[in-house]
Amino acid sequence: MCCVLRDEQYCGTGCQEGPCFLPPPTNNVDVSSIVTDAFFNGIVDQSDAGCEGRGFYTRAAFLEALRNYGQFARVGSEEDSRREIAAFFAHVTHETGHFCYIEEINGTSRDYCDETSTQYPCNPSKGYYGRGPIQLSWNFNYGPAGRSIGFDGLNNPEIVATDPVISFRTALWYWMNNVHSVIGQGFGATIRAINGALECDGGNPATVSSRVRYYTQYCDQLGVATGDNLRC
């Protein structure tokens, strides 16, 4: 119904019958020419040599996962594309410690089961703690991510920590569904979309500063201005 009515009341987030509006046209930016070996490995090389993420997170796995997300960093101007790439990798760097961590530290001791999310019921023997480049968490994210990507997110969440391509796909899935649409509002809006409840509005200024620092660094490397509204 929502695709026919094209009404915001029916076309908003959660529409069950598919997108109501066509996505914006993509530009001609080649993401792989921006996310070079030097750029990607420059992040990895700042992690400790003994990190479990080394050898798991690779540029090849990222580029393979990217094949499923043609809108990523390809909307707007080339500068917009470079800023989105810088933003994505800034958050990934913060979340994983320069691609060091695959799973959340002490994640097994934490409860990420939202029992009110009846559409994605928890398997009591599984943990939905942070895994992968964006540290995907909660049953209400694992369920739809798995459905979209093609794995059983509720009964096999561990695959996000064992298959590097699926791992990157979960990060890109989350980004495209929750972050991509606000990138034009400034980097601060991307922080709010990822972890705003815990960090924004004075919640944790130190982690906000960490994310902004990485974003600024990567914008410098990619030769693009950061834009405004860096904090939340």
Side-chain angles (χ1 to χ4, degrees):
M1 180 192 300
C2 67
C3 300
V4 175
L5 292 175
R6 295 182 178 272
D7 187 303
E8 287 295 339
Q9 179 180 354
Y10 298 95
C11 294
T13 302
C15 171
Q16 299 299 306
E17 297 187 31
C20 297
F21 306 110
L22 292 175
T26 56
N27 58 31
N28 294 320
V29 166
D30 177 7
V31 175
S32 66
S33 70
I34 299 173
V35 183
T36 61
D37 281 324
F39 177 80
F40 192 97
N41 294 333
I43 300 173
V44 176
D45 289 346
Q46 295 183 62
S47 64
D48 186 82
C51 285
E52 62 177 353
R54 280 178 171 256
F56 180 80
Y57 297 119
T58 65
R59 176 175 177 266
F62 166 72
L63 294 178
E64 178 61 28
L66 189 64
R67 292 163 61 93
N68 293 67
Y69 301 94
Q71 295 275 316
F72 174 79
R74 296 190 64 224
V75 174
S77 67
E78 180 176 347
E79 289 74 19
D80 292 330
S81 294
R82 289 176 180 270
R83 271 189 287 270
E84 183 165 7
I85 290 168
F88 177 82
F89 281 98
H91 289 299
V92 167
T93 297
H94 175 81
E95 295 288 343
T96 65
H98 294 92
F99 286 125
C100 180
Y101 303 110
I102 301 174
E103 296 185 315
E104 178 181 356
I105 298 172
N106 298 322
T108 56
S109 66
R110 298 174 180 173
D111 181 13
Y112 286 102
C113 174
D114 181 357
E115 295 181 358
T116 67
S117 180
T118 55
Q119 186 178 1
Y120 301 106
C122 301
N123 180 328
S125 67
K126 299 297 181 179
Y128 304 106
Y129 52 86
R131 296 181 179 90
I134 213 77
Q135 292 289 281
L136 189 76
S137 307
W138 296 98
N139 54 306
F140 55 72
N141 283 320
Y142 274 94
R147 179 179 295 177
S148 174
I149 295 166
F151 70 94
D152 189 342
L154 296 176
N155 296 308
N156 187 23
E158 299 89 350
I159 197 171
V160 180
T162 60
D163 186 314
V165 174
I166 287 179
S167 198
F168 267 115
R169 282 177 180 156
T170 64
L172 289 164
W173 171 86
Y174 187 89
W175 185 271
M176 296 307 295
N177 281 278
N178 298 280
V179 188
H180 176 76
S181 64
V182 303
I183 193 75
Q185 300 173 26
F187 184 69
T190 71
I191 302 175
R192 189 175 295 279
I194 288 176
N195 209 22
L198 296 179
E199 298 181 20
C200 293
D201 304 314
N204 195 332
T207 57
V208 170
S209 294
S210 170
R211 295 178 192 270
V212 172
R213 183 171 64 253
Y214 292 133
Y215 174 64
T216 302
Q217 176 185 338
Y218 297 155
C219 281
D220 287 345
Q221 289 183 26
L222 299 179
V224 67
T226 60
D228 299 324
N229 303 319
L230 298 186
R231 302 181 66 88
C232 60

